[in-house]
Amino acid sequence: MGAGAAAVRLGDRVSETGERSGAVADTVSAPVLGAHQPESRAGVFVLDRDQSEGEVGRAVRALVEGARSDDGGDTLVAFGLGTSLFEGAGSRAPRQLRVMPSFAGDLLDPAQSHGDLLVRVAGEDAAAVRKAVADVKAVATEVGWTVRWGIDGFRADNRVEESRALARNPFHFTEGFGNPETEREVADRALVREGQGEPAWAVGGSYQVVRVIRFATELWDKDSVPEQERIMGRRRDGKWLDGASVGEEPNFAADPKGRQTPLDSHVRLAAPDRRNPPPIVRRSYSYDRGDGDAGIIFNCYQRDLAKGFEAVQKRLEGEALAKYVLTTGGGYFFVPPPGDAWIDALG
Ligand code: HEM
C-alpha cells in the first residue's frame, strides 16, 4: 500500500458507496500514525460475537457498515480483529495472532482482556465520541454481539512537534519522541508486507497490542523529579540525561555503567541500540477511572509481533519502572488493511 494512496485515513468520511467526504472508518495507514495529530479523546471497547451464529463475516460487515454510516461528526472508528475471531480459520488467520500471554508482573483480568473485535473510536469532542461508541454498540446488539470490556482514554497536552505526535502521561512525562518522523518509516515498522508469510488479505494491516497499564501515581509522585527521570531515562520534556537534545541520539556507548542514563531505565532497555530502533509505533491514551485507578491504555502497532512488542516487553522485565505500574488488561488484535476484502477472510 502506498502511504495514503488507497488508504482510508483520519479525516475521511466513507459513505456507504465508498466515497470519502469526512471522518469515519480508519485503518492504521501511515498518515494515521505519522505526522497527523491524534484525536485527544478515545473510547476503546471489545465485543464478543454471538456464539450460536456460525457466520462471522456477515455480522462484522454489518458492524463495519454501521460505523461507516454513522453521522456523528468528526469521529473515527477503527477495528482490530481478536485472536478468538479466527477460531477454526486455519491459514486464513494472521500468522502471529494469538491470545496475549501474561508477561512478568502482569495481573490480567480475563474480564478486561482479549475478545473478538476491538473497536477504537476517537475524536476531539468527548460527547461525539460517546455518541459514536453508543451507536456502534447499538449495531453490535442488533447482530447479537456483547460488550466484553471497554475503557475511555484521553491525551493530555496533545500536539505535534517536529512531525511527532506527543502527549503527557499521568507520570508527567511526554511520550512519543521515540516514534518515527516520516510516514514511510511508520509504514515500514507498522504495516504487514508481502513475503512475510502472512495471508494475502492481511498485507497492509497491522498487529495492534493493547495494554491497560495502571499507574501507582501516589507512589510515583513521592519521588523527586530527578529520580523519576533516572527511572525513565529521559527528562520529563524529552531531553536526554547525557545532555543530548530531544532530536538527537544519546551516547549510551560512552556511558557503559549507566552513570548518566541508568542501565535499568525505561528507554535504555526499550531501545538500547540507537541505530536500530524497535520496530513498533506507539500511540497511547491516558485513562482515569476514579478511585486512583489511572494510567495508560498503551497501544502499539507493528508488522511483526515477535520482533516488535514482544522483544521490547521482554527487555523491559526488571526495569526500574516496574514497581510503579501494573498491567491489568488488553490483548492482541489485527487491524485489517483498507477496503473490505478482509471481511471475506473471516468466513
Ligand atoms: C508502563 C508504562 C509506560 C510508561 C510510563 C512509558 C513511558 C515512556 C516514556 C516517557 C518514553 C520516552 C518518550 C518517548 O520516546 O515516547 C517511552 C519510550 C518508549 N517506550 Fe514506553 N512507557 C511505558 C510502557 C511501555 C511498553 C509496555 C513498551 C513496549 C513494550 C514501551 C516501549 C517504549 C519504547 C520502544 C520507547 C522509545 C524508546 C526510544 O526510542 O528512545 N513502553 N516510554
Side-chain angles (χ1 to χ4, degrees), residues 169 171 173-178 211 213 215 232 234 240 266-267 270-271 274 278 280 282 296 298 309 312-313 316 321 325:
N169 72 25
F171 280 172
F173 278 69
T174 298
E175 277 192 55
F177 296 112
R211 310 260 297 161
I213 306 178
F215 284 11
M232 294 309 313
R234 280 188 103 135
W240 294 100
H266 184 66
V267 288
R274 305 310 303 178
I280 69 176
R282 291 166 297 128
I296 57 169
F298 172 89
F309 169 77
V312 181
Q313 182 64 36
L316 291 176
L321 183 64
V325 295

PDB file of all heavy atoms in Angstrom, residues 169 171 173-178 211 213 215 232 234 240 266-267 270-271 274 278 280 282 296 298 309 312-313 316 321 325, ligand 1:
ATOM      1  N   ASN A 169       1.742  11.877  29.814  1.00  0.00           N
ATOM      2  CA  ASN A 169       1.091  10.765  30.517  1.00  0.00           C
ATOM      3  C   ASN A 169       0.882  11.098  32.000  1.00  0.00           C
ATOM      4  O   ASN A 169       1.366  12.127  32.479  1.00  0.00           O
ATOM      5  CB  ASN A 169       1.876   9.457  30.273  1.00  0.00           C
ATOM      6  CG  ASN A 169       3.208   9.415  31.007  1.00  0.00           C
ATOM      7  OD1 ASN A 169       3.403  10.076  32.029  1.00  0.00           O
ATOM      8  ND2 ASN A 169       4.125   8.618  30.480  1.00  0.00           N
ATOM      9  N   PHE A 171       2.261  10.216  34.543  1.00  0.00           N
ATOM     10  CA  PHE A 171       3.504  10.354  35.311  1.00  0.00           C
ATOM     11  C   PHE A 171       4.214  11.671  34.972  1.00  0.00           C
ATOM     12  O   PHE A 171       5.376  11.855  35.293  1.00  0.00           O
ATOM     13  CB  PHE A 171       4.442   9.174  35.025  1.00  0.00           C
ATOM     14  CG  PHE A 171       4.117   7.911  35.782  1.00  0.00           C
ATOM     15  CD1 PHE A 171       4.763   6.717  35.503  1.00  0.00           C
ATOM     16  CD2 PHE A 171       3.174   7.909  36.806  1.00  0.00           C
ATOM     17  CE1 PHE A 171       4.483   5.555  36.206  1.00  0.00           C
ATOM     18  CE2 PHE A 171       2.881   6.745  37.518  1.00  0.00           C
ATOM     19  CZ  PHE A 171       3.538   5.570  37.208  1.00  0.00           C
ATOM     20  N   PHE A 173       5.275  12.746  32.162  1.00  0.00           N
ATOM     21  CA  PHE A 173       6.299  12.657  31.119  1.00  0.00           C
ATOM     22  C   PHE A 173       5.644  12.751  29.743  1.00  0.00           C
ATOM     23  O   PHE A 173       4.540  12.245  29.538  1.00  0.00           O
ATOM     24  CB  PHE A 173       7.080  11.336  31.224  1.00  0.00           C
ATOM     25  CG  PHE A 173       8.172  11.383  32.253  1.00  0.00           C
ATOM     26  CD1 PHE A 173       7.858  11.454  33.605  1.00  0.00           C
ATOM     27  CD2 PHE A 173       9.509  11.382  31.880  1.00  0.00           C
ATOM     28  CE1 PHE A 173       8.853  11.522  34.570  1.00  0.00           C
ATOM     29  CE2 PHE A 173      10.515  11.459  32.836  1.00  0.00           C
ATOM     30  CZ  PHE A 173      10.184  11.522  34.185  1.00  0.00           C
ATOM     31  N   THR A 174       6.368  13.369  28.836  1.00  0.00           N
ATOM     32  CA  THR A 174       5.862  13.458  27.466  1.00  0.00           C
ATOM     33  C   THR A 174       6.256  12.192  26.721  1.00  0.00           C
ATOM     34  O   THR A 174       7.412  11.769  26.763  1.00  0.00           O
ATOM     35  CB  THR A 174       6.444  14.706  26.774  1.00  0.00           C
ATOM     36  OG1 THR A 174       5.987  15.833  27.518  1.00  0.00           O
ATOM     37  CG2 THR A 174       5.963  14.825  25.343  1.00  0.00           C
ATOM     38  N   GLU A 175       5.286  11.602  26.063  1.00  0.00           N
ATOM     39  CA  GLU A 175       5.528  10.370  25.300  1.00  0.00           C
ATOM     40  C   GLU A 175       5.382  10.623  23.812  1.00  0.00           C
ATOM     41  O   GLU A 175       4.562  11.437  23.403  1.00  0.00           O
ATOM     42  CB  GLU A 175       4.504   9.305  25.691  1.00  0.00           C
ATOM     43  CG  GLU A 175       4.870   8.537  26.933  1.00  0.00           C
ATOM     44  CD  GLU A 175       3.977   7.317  27.096  1.00  0.00           C
ATOM     45  OE1 GLU A 175       3.901   6.507  26.160  1.00  0.00           O
ATOM     46  OE2 GLU A 175       3.360   7.203  28.168  1.00  0.00           O
ATOM     47  N   GLY A 176       6.145   9.898  23.029  1.00  0.00           N
ATOM     48  CA  GLY A 176       6.006   9.950  21.575  1.00  0.00           C
ATOM     49  C   GLY A 176       7.308  10.229  20.847  1.00  0.00           C
ATOM     50  O   GLY A 176       7.392  10.058  19.638  1.00  0.00           O
ATOM     51  N   PHE A 177       8.355  10.646  21.600  1.00  0.00           N
ATOM     52  CA  PHE A 177       9.608  11.022  20.929  1.00  0.00           C
ATOM     53  C   PHE A 177      10.235   9.860  20.167  1.00  0.00           C
ATOM     54  O   PHE A 177      10.829  10.051  19.118  1.00  0.00           O
ATOM     55  CB  PHE A 177      10.636  11.538  21.949  1.00  0.00           C
ATOM     56  CG  PHE A 177      10.204  12.800  22.634  1.00  0.00           C
ATOM     57  CD1 PHE A 177       9.886  12.798  23.983  1.00  0.00           C
ATOM     58  CD2 PHE A 177      10.101  13.980  21.927  1.00  0.00           C
ATOM     59  CE1 PHE A 177       9.482  13.962  24.617  1.00  0.00           C
ATOM     60  CE2 PHE A 177       9.696  15.149  22.548  1.00  0.00           C
ATOM     61  CZ  PHE A 177       9.378  15.133  23.905  1.00  0.00           C
ATOM     62  N   GLY A 178      10.114   8.667  20.728  1.00  0.00           N
ATOM     63  CA  GLY A 178      10.770   7.505  20.096  1.00  0.00           C
ATOM     64  C   GLY A 178      10.075   7.032  18.829  1.00  0.00           C
ATOM     65  O   GLY A 178      10.570   6.126  18.165  1.00  0.00           O
ATOM     66  N   ARG A 211      -2.526  -2.598  26.002  1.00  0.00           N
ATOM     67  CA  ARG A 211      -2.215  -2.948  27.399  1.00  0.00           C
ATOM     68  C   ARG A 211      -2.805  -1.858  28.290  1.00  0.00           C
ATOM     69  O   ARG A 211      -2.456  -0.675  28.149  1.00  0.00           O
ATOM     70  CB  ARG A 211      -0.704  -2.980  27.615  1.00  0.00           C
ATOM     71  CG  ARG A 211       0.036  -3.816  26.581  1.00  0.00           C
ATOM     72  CD  ARG A 211       0.419  -5.171  27.018  1.00  0.00           C
ATOM     73  NE  ARG A 211       1.353  -5.199  28.112  1.00  0.00           N
ATOM     74  CZ  ARG A 211       1.532  -6.271  28.888  1.00  0.00           C
ATOM     75  NH1 ARG A 211       0.828  -7.365  28.706  1.00  0.00           N
ATOM     76  NH2 ARG A 211       2.428  -6.241  29.864  1.00  0.00           N
ATOM     77  N   ILE A 213      -2.543  -0.247  31.476  1.00  0.00           N
ATOM     78  CA  ILE A 213      -1.469  -0.225  32.484  1.00  0.00           C
ATOM     79  C   ILE A 213      -1.818   0.781  33.578  1.00  0.00           C
ATOM     80  O   ILE A 213      -1.892   1.990  33.332  1.00  0.00           O
ATOM     81  CB  ILE A 213      -0.114   0.140  31.835  1.00  0.00           C
ATOM     82  CG1 ILE A 213       0.202  -0.797  30.663  1.00  0.00           C
ATOM     83  CG2 ILE A 213       1.000   0.079  32.880  1.00  0.00           C
ATOM     84  CD1 ILE A 213       1.491  -0.480  29.923  1.00  0.00           C
ATOM     85  N   PHE A 215      -1.171   2.977  36.810  1.00  0.00           N
ATOM     86  CA  PHE A 215      -0.002   3.663  37.364  1.00  0.00           C
ATOM     87  C   PHE A 215      -0.209   3.906  38.862  1.00  0.00           C
ATOM     88  O   PHE A 215      -1.285   4.354  39.274  1.00  0.00           O
ATOM     89  CB  PHE A 215       0.174   5.056  36.720  1.00  0.00           C
ATOM     90  CG  PHE A 215       0.749   5.041  35.329  1.00  0.00           C
ATOM     91  CD1 PHE A 215       0.878   3.870  34.599  1.00  0.00           C
ATOM     92  CD2 PHE A 215       1.155   6.239  34.748  1.00  0.00           C
ATOM     93  CE1 PHE A 215       1.401   3.889  33.312  1.00  0.00           C
ATOM     94  CE2 PHE A 215       1.678   6.266  33.455  1.00  0.00           C
ATOM     95  CZ  PHE A 215       1.800   5.087  32.741  1.00  0.00           C
ATOM     96  N   MET A 232      12.946   6.789  34.066  1.00  0.00           N
ATOM     97  CA  MET A 232      12.510   6.806  32.666  1.00  0.00           C
ATOM     98  C   MET A 232      13.709   6.832  31.708  1.00  0.00           C
ATOM     99  O   MET A 232      13.642   6.321  30.594  1.00  0.00           O
ATOM    100  CB  MET A 232      11.639   8.030  32.363  1.00  0.00           C
ATOM    101  CG  MET A 232      10.290   8.073  33.062  1.00  0.00           C
ATOM    102  SD  MET A 232       9.258   6.591  32.915  1.00  0.00           S
ATOM    103  CE  MET A 232       9.352   6.237  31.210  1.00  0.00           C
ATOM    104  N   ARG A 234      14.919   9.685  30.534  1.00  0.00           N
ATOM    105  CA  ARG A 234      14.792  10.957  29.799  1.00  0.00           C
ATOM    106  C   ARG A 234      14.256  11.989  30.759  1.00  0.00           C
ATOM    107  O   ARG A 234      13.674  11.651  31.787  1.00  0.00           O
ATOM    108  CB  ARG A 234      13.782  10.821  28.643  1.00  0.00           C
ATOM    109  CG  ARG A 234      14.327  10.158  27.410  1.00  0.00           C
ATOM    110  CD  ARG A 234      13.352  10.226  26.256  1.00  0.00           C
ATOM    111  NE  ARG A 234      13.745  11.251  25.311  1.00  0.00           N
ATOM    112  CZ  ARG A 234      13.754  11.101  23.977  1.00  0.00           C
ATOM    113  NH1 ARG A 234      13.365   9.971  23.415  1.00  0.00           N
ATOM    114  NH2 ARG A 234      14.120  12.068  23.187  1.00  0.00           N
ATOM    115  N   TRP A 240      17.658  14.236  26.819  1.00  0.00           N
ATOM    116  CA  TRP A 240      18.382  13.056  27.298  1.00  0.00           C
ATOM    117  C   TRP A 240      19.193  13.394  28.546  1.00  0.00           C
ATOM    118  O   TRP A 240      19.589  14.554  28.743  1.00  0.00           O
ATOM    119  CB  TRP A 240      19.296  12.521  26.205  1.00  0.00           C
ATOM    120  CG  TRP A 240      18.526  11.983  25.032  1.00  0.00           C
ATOM    121  CD1 TRP A 240      18.292  12.620  23.858  1.00  0.00           C
ATOM    122  CD2 TRP A 240      17.841  10.733  24.951  1.00  0.00           C
ATOM    123  NE1 TRP A 240      17.521  11.835  23.037  1.00  0.00           N
ATOM    124  CE2 TRP A 240      17.220  10.664  23.684  1.00  0.00           C
ATOM    125  CE3 TRP A 240      17.688   9.639  25.826  1.00  0.00           C
ATOM    126  CZ2 TRP A 240      16.475   9.563  23.255  1.00  0.00           C
ATOM    127  CZ3 TRP A 240      16.947   8.549  25.398  1.00  0.00           C
ATOM    128  CH2 TRP A 240      16.351   8.509  24.143  1.00  0.00           C
ATOM    129  N   HIS A 266      13.858   2.994  31.621  1.00  0.00           N
ATOM    130  CA  HIS A 266      12.890   2.541  30.610  1.00  0.00           C
ATOM    131  C   HIS A 266      13.433   2.663  29.183  1.00  0.00           C
ATOM    132  O   HIS A 266      13.428   1.698  28.427  1.00  0.00           O
ATOM    133  CB  HIS A 266      11.603   3.357  30.772  1.00  0.00           C
ATOM    134  CG  HIS A 266      10.493   2.933  29.861  1.00  0.00           C
ATOM    135  ND1 HIS A 266       9.872   1.709  29.961  1.00  0.00           N
ATOM    136  CD2 HIS A 266       9.885   3.572  28.830  1.00  0.00           C
ATOM    137  CE1 HIS A 266       8.923   1.619  29.049  1.00  0.00           C
ATOM    138  NE2 HIS A 266       8.912   2.729  28.338  1.00  0.00           N
ATOM    139  N   VAL A 267      13.914   3.826  28.823  1.00  0.00           N
ATOM    140  CA  VAL A 267      14.326   3.988  27.421  1.00  0.00           C
ATOM    141  C   VAL A 267      15.600   3.210  27.102  1.00  0.00           C
ATOM    142  O   VAL A 267      15.769   2.722  25.984  1.00  0.00           O
ATOM    143  CB  VAL A 267      14.533   5.469  27.007  1.00  0.00           C
ATOM    144  CG1 VAL A 267      13.215   6.189  26.905  1.00  0.00           C
ATOM    145  CG2 VAL A 267      15.476   6.172  27.903  1.00  0.00           C
ATOM    146  N   ALA A 270      14.299  -0.239  26.576  1.00  0.00           N
ATOM    147  CA  ALA A 270      13.370  -0.328  25.437  1.00  0.00           C
ATOM    148  C   ALA A 270      14.121  -0.204  24.114  1.00  0.00           C
ATOM    149  O   ALA A 270      13.831  -0.925  23.159  1.00  0.00           O
ATOM    150  CB  ALA A 270      12.297   0.762  25.529  1.00  0.00           C
ATOM    151  N   ALA A 271      15.088   0.700  24.047  1.00  0.00           N
ATOM    152  CA  ALA A 271      15.771   0.962  22.776  1.00  0.00           C
ATOM    153  C   ALA A 271      17.271   1.125  23.004  1.00  0.00           C
ATOM    154  O   ALA A 271      17.812   2.220  22.896  1.00  0.00           O
ATOM    155  CB  ALA A 271      15.190   2.230  22.134  1.00  0.00           C
ATOM    156  N   ARG A 274      20.757   2.484  19.403  1.00  0.00           N
ATOM    157  CA  ARG A 274      20.176   3.704  18.838  1.00  0.00           C
ATOM    158  C   ARG A 274      20.119   3.685  17.318  1.00  0.00           C
ATOM    159  O   ARG A 274      19.404   4.469  16.717  1.00  0.00           O
ATOM    160  CB  ARG A 274      20.920   4.955  19.335  1.00  0.00           C
ATOM    161  CG  ARG A 274      21.015   5.097  20.844  1.00  0.00           C
ATOM    162  CD  ARG A 274      19.687   4.936  21.554  1.00  0.00           C
ATOM    163  NE  ARG A 274      18.649   5.849  21.126  1.00  0.00           N
ATOM    164  CZ  ARG A 274      17.405   5.840  21.609  1.00  0.00           C
ATOM    165  NH1 ARG A 274      17.046   4.950  22.518  1.00  0.00           N
ATOM    166  NH2 ARG A 274      16.516   6.685  21.180  1.00  0.00           N
ATOM    167  N   PRO A 278      13.427  -0.097  18.022  1.00  0.00           N
ATOM    168  CA  PRO A 278      12.467  -1.203  17.992  1.00  0.00           C
ATOM    169  C   PRO A 278      11.409  -0.966  16.910  1.00  0.00           C
ATOM    170  O   PRO A 278      10.911   0.162  16.785  1.00  0.00           O
ATOM    171  CB  PRO A 278      11.819  -1.163  19.378  1.00  0.00           C
ATOM    172  CG  PRO A 278      12.594  -0.195  20.189  1.00  0.00           C
ATOM    173  CD  PRO A 278      13.440   0.626  19.288  1.00  0.00           C
ATOM    174  N   ILE A 280       8.368  -0.765  16.305  1.00  0.00           N
ATOM    175  CA  ILE A 280       6.985  -0.574  16.752  1.00  0.00           C
ATOM    176  C   ILE A 280       6.643   0.918  16.655  1.00  0.00           C
ATOM    177  O   ILE A 280       7.535   1.772  16.656  1.00  0.00           O
ATOM    178  CB  ILE A 280       6.736  -1.064  18.209  1.00  0.00           C
ATOM    179  CG1 ILE A 280       7.448  -0.186  19.254  1.00  0.00           C
ATOM    180  CG2 ILE A 280       7.161  -2.502  18.398  1.00  0.00           C
ATOM    181  CD1 ILE A 280       7.133  -0.581  20.689  1.00  0.00           C
ATOM    182  N   ARG A 282       4.169   3.528  18.726  1.00  0.00           N
ATOM    183  CA  ARG A 282       3.318   3.622  19.921  1.00  0.00           C
ATOM    184  C   ARG A 282       2.318   4.757  19.796  1.00  0.00           C
ATOM    185  O   ARG A 282       2.629   5.801  19.226  1.00  0.00           O
ATOM    186  CB  ARG A 282       4.180   3.845  21.170  1.00  0.00           C
ATOM    187  CG  ARG A 282       5.023   2.642  21.554  1.00  0.00           C
ATOM    188  CD  ARG A 282       6.087   3.002  22.554  1.00  0.00           C
ATOM    189  NE  ARG A 282       7.017   3.970  21.986  1.00  0.00           N
ATOM    190  CZ  ARG A 282       7.355   5.111  22.561  1.00  0.00           C
ATOM    191  NH1 ARG A 282       6.871   5.448  23.737  1.00  0.00           N
ATOM    192  NH2 ARG A 282       8.205   5.920  21.959  1.00  0.00           N
ATOM    193  N   ILE A 296      -2.327   4.312  31.676  1.00  0.00           N
ATOM    194  CA  ILE A 296      -2.387   4.479  30.221  1.00  0.00           C
ATOM    195  C   ILE A 296      -3.001   3.256  29.540  1.00  0.00           C
ATOM    196  O   ILE A 296      -2.903   2.135  30.038  1.00  0.00           O
ATOM    197  CB  ILE A 296      -1.008   4.767  29.561  1.00  0.00           C
ATOM    198  CG1 ILE A 296       0.019   3.681  29.873  1.00  0.00           C
ATOM    199  CG2 ILE A 296      -0.492   6.131  29.947  1.00  0.00           C
ATOM    200  CD1 ILE A 296       1.306   3.792  29.039  1.00  0.00           C
ATOM    201  N   PHE A 298      -1.956   1.642  26.751  1.00  0.00           N
ATOM    202  CA  PHE A 298      -0.798   1.553  25.862  1.00  0.00           C
ATOM    203  C   PHE A 298      -1.241   0.862  24.579  1.00  0.00           C
ATOM    204  O   PHE A 298      -1.931  -0.162  24.619  1.00  0.00           O
ATOM    205  CB  PHE A 298       0.311   0.744  26.544  1.00  0.00           C
ATOM    206  CG  PHE A 298       1.490   0.431  25.659  1.00  0.00           C
ATOM    207  CD1 PHE A 298       2.562   1.302  25.565  1.00  0.00           C
ATOM    208  CD2 PHE A 298       1.530  -0.746  24.917  1.00  0.00           C
ATOM    209  CE1 PHE A 298       3.648   1.014  24.744  1.00  0.00           C
ATOM    210  CE2 PHE A 298       2.608  -1.041  24.087  1.00  0.00           C
ATOM    211  CZ  PHE A 298       3.663  -0.156  24.014  1.00  0.00           C
ATOM    212  N   PHE A 309       6.585  -5.673  19.618  1.00  0.00           N
ATOM    213  CA  PHE A 309       6.213  -5.554  21.029  1.00  0.00           C
ATOM    214  C   PHE A 309       6.878  -6.599  21.924  1.00  0.00           C
ATOM    215  O   PHE A 309       7.414  -6.271  22.983  1.00  0.00           O
ATOM    216  CB  PHE A 309       4.685  -5.650  21.184  1.00  0.00           C
ATOM    217  CG  PHE A 309       4.257  -5.807  22.603  1.00  0.00           C
ATOM    218  CD1 PHE A 309       4.259  -4.714  23.463  1.00  0.00           C
ATOM    219  CD2 PHE A 309       3.884  -7.045  23.112  1.00  0.00           C
ATOM    220  CE1 PHE A 309       3.901  -4.855  24.791  1.00  0.00           C
ATOM    221  CE2 PHE A 309       3.524  -7.195  24.437  1.00  0.00           C
ATOM    222  CZ  PHE A 309       3.528  -6.103  25.280  1.00  0.00           C
ATOM    223  N   VAL A 312      10.515  -6.033  22.881  1.00  0.00           N
ATOM    224  CA  VAL A 312      10.708  -4.883  23.778  1.00  0.00           C
ATOM    225  C   VAL A 312      10.191  -5.229  25.182  1.00  0.00           C
ATOM    226  O   VAL A 312      10.866  -4.993  26.190  1.00  0.00           O
ATOM    227  CB  VAL A 312       9.975  -3.625  23.254  1.00  0.00           C
ATOM    228  CG1 VAL A 312      10.216  -2.438  24.187  1.00  0.00           C
ATOM    229  CG2 VAL A 312      10.424  -3.278  21.839  1.00  0.00           C
ATOM    230  N   GLN A 313       9.003  -5.826  25.222  1.00  0.00           N
ATOM    231  CA  GLN A 313       8.405  -6.142  26.520  1.00  0.00           C
ATOM    232  C   GLN A 313       9.324  -7.061  27.328  1.00  0.00           C
ATOM    233  O   GLN A 313       9.495  -6.877  28.537  1.00  0.00           O
ATOM    234  CB  GLN A 313       7.032  -6.792  26.283  1.00  0.00           C
ATOM    235  CG  GLN A 313       6.260  -7.137  27.554  1.00  0.00           C
ATOM    236  CD  GLN A 313       5.885  -5.919  28.379  1.00  0.00           C
ATOM    237  OE1 GLN A 313       5.581  -4.856  27.846  1.00  0.00           O
ATOM    238  NE2 GLN A 313       5.946  -6.059  29.693  1.00  0.00           N
ATOM    239  N   LEU A 316      12.092  -5.214  28.864  1.00  0.00           N
ATOM    240  CA  LEU A 316      11.682  -4.312  29.949  1.00  0.00           C
ATOM    241  C   LEU A 316      11.506  -5.039  31.291  1.00  0.00           C
ATOM    242  O   LEU A 316      11.338  -4.392  32.323  1.00  0.00           O
ATOM    243  CB  LEU A 316      10.371  -3.590  29.588  1.00  0.00           C
ATOM    244  CG  LEU A 316      10.460  -2.549  28.464  1.00  0.00           C
ATOM    245  CD1 LEU A 316       9.080  -1.986  28.138  1.00  0.00           C
ATOM    246  CD2 LEU A 316      11.406  -1.403  28.840  1.00  0.00           C
ATOM    247  N   LEU A 321      11.006   0.972  36.369  1.00  0.00           N
ATOM    248  CA  LEU A 321       9.620   1.460  36.333  1.00  0.00           C
ATOM    249  C   LEU A 321       8.624   0.410  36.845  1.00  0.00           C
ATOM    250  O   LEU A 321       7.506   0.744  37.247  1.00  0.00           O
ATOM    251  CB  LEU A 321       9.294   1.838  34.875  1.00  0.00           C
ATOM    252  CG  LEU A 321       7.938   2.435  34.530  1.00  0.00           C
ATOM    253  CD1 LEU A 321       7.737   3.787  35.209  1.00  0.00           C
ATOM    254  CD2 LEU A 321       7.785   2.594  33.011  1.00  0.00           C
ATOM    255  N   VAL A 325       3.978   0.281  38.058  1.00  0.00           N
ATOM    256  CA  VAL A 325       2.951   0.016  37.034  1.00  0.00           C
ATOM    257  C   VAL A 325       2.429  -1.416  37.132  1.00  0.00           C
ATOM    258  O   VAL A 325       3.143  -2.319  37.589  1.00  0.00           O
ATOM    259  CB  VAL A 325       3.490   0.262  35.601  1.00  0.00           C
ATOM    260  CG1 VAL A 325       3.834   1.718  35.385  1.00  0.00           C
ATOM    261  CG2 VAL A 325       4.699  -0.616  35.299  1.00  0.00           C
TER     262      VAL A 325
HETATM  263  C1  HEM B   1       4.477   1.055  31.736  1.00  0.00           C
HETATM  264  C2  HEM B   1       4.133   2.248  31.369  1.00  0.00           C
HETATM  265  C3  HEM B   1       4.949   3.038  30.402  1.00  0.00           C
HETATM  266  C4  HEM B   1       5.353   4.318  30.537  1.00  0.00           C
HETATM  267  C5  HEM B   1       5.042   5.252  31.713  1.00  0.00           C
HETATM  268  C6  HEM B   1       6.148   4.652  29.394  1.00  0.00           C
HETATM  269  C7  HEM B   1       6.734   5.882  29.180  1.00  0.00           C
HETATM  270  C8  HEM B   1       7.636   6.170  28.196  1.00  0.00           C
HETATM  271  C9  HEM B   1       8.300   7.425  28.021  1.00  0.00           C
HETATM  272  C10 HEM B   1       8.089   8.662  28.896  1.00  0.00           C
HETATM  273  C11 HEM B   1       9.135   7.308  26.981  1.00  0.00           C
HETATM  274  C12 HEM B   1      10.095   8.379  26.429  1.00  0.00           C
HETATM  275  C13 HEM B   1       9.464   9.231  25.414  1.00  0.00           C
HETATM  276  C14 HEM B   1       9.160   8.518  24.134  1.00  0.00           C
HETATM  277  O1  HEM B   1      10.078   8.143  23.392  1.00  0.00           O
HETATM  278  O2  HEM B   1       7.985   8.300  23.859  1.00  0.00           O
HETATM  279  C15 HEM B   1       8.980   5.971  26.458  1.00  0.00           C
HETATM  280  C16 HEM B   1       9.656   5.455  25.388  1.00  0.00           C
HETATM  281  C17 HEM B   1       9.494   4.205  24.896  1.00  0.00           C
HETATM  282  N1  HEM B   1       8.687   3.220  25.405  1.00  0.00           N
HETATM  283 FE1  HEM B   1       7.494   3.386  26.996  1.00  0.00          FE
HETATM  284  N2  HEM B   1       6.221   3.575  28.566  1.00  0.00           N
HETATM  285  C18 HEM B   1       5.507   2.560  29.142  1.00  0.00           C
HETATM  286  C19 HEM B   1       5.321   1.291  28.634  1.00  0.00           C
HETATM  287  C20 HEM B   1       5.937   0.807  27.512  1.00  0.00           C
HETATM  288  C21 HEM B   1       5.723  -0.506  26.968  1.00  0.00           C
HETATM  289  C22 HEM B   1       4.765  -1.555  27.515  1.00  0.00           C
HETATM  290  C23 HEM B   1       6.529  -0.596  25.871  1.00  0.00           C
HETATM  291  C24 HEM B   1       6.702  -1.746  24.913  1.00  0.00           C
HETATM  292  C25 HEM B   1       6.733  -2.997  25.281  1.00  0.00           C
HETATM  293  C26 HEM B   1       7.232   0.654  25.739  1.00  0.00           C
HETATM  294  C27 HEM B   1       8.141   0.951  24.745  1.00  0.00           C
HETATM  295  C28 HEM B   1       8.792   2.139  24.596  1.00  0.00           C
HETATM  296  C29 HEM B   1       9.712   2.425  23.505  1.00  0.00           C
HETATM  297  C30 HEM B   1      10.102   1.485  22.384  1.00  0.00           C
HETATM  298  C31 HEM B   1      10.154   3.724  23.699  1.00  0.00           C
HETATM  299  C32 HEM B   1      11.087   4.522  22.786  1.00  0.00           C
HETATM  300  C33 HEM B   1      12.468   4.417  23.233  1.00  0.00           C
HETATM  301  C34 HEM B   1      13.350   5.255  22.315  1.00  0.00           C
HETATM  302  O3  HEM B   1      13.254   5.115  21.098  1.00  0.00           O
HETATM  303  O4  HEM B   1      14.138   6.020  22.837  1.00  0.00           O
HETATM  304  N3  HEM B   1       6.840   1.484  26.744  1.00  0.00           N
HETATM  305  N4  HEM B   1       8.065   5.290  27.217  1.00  0.00           N
END
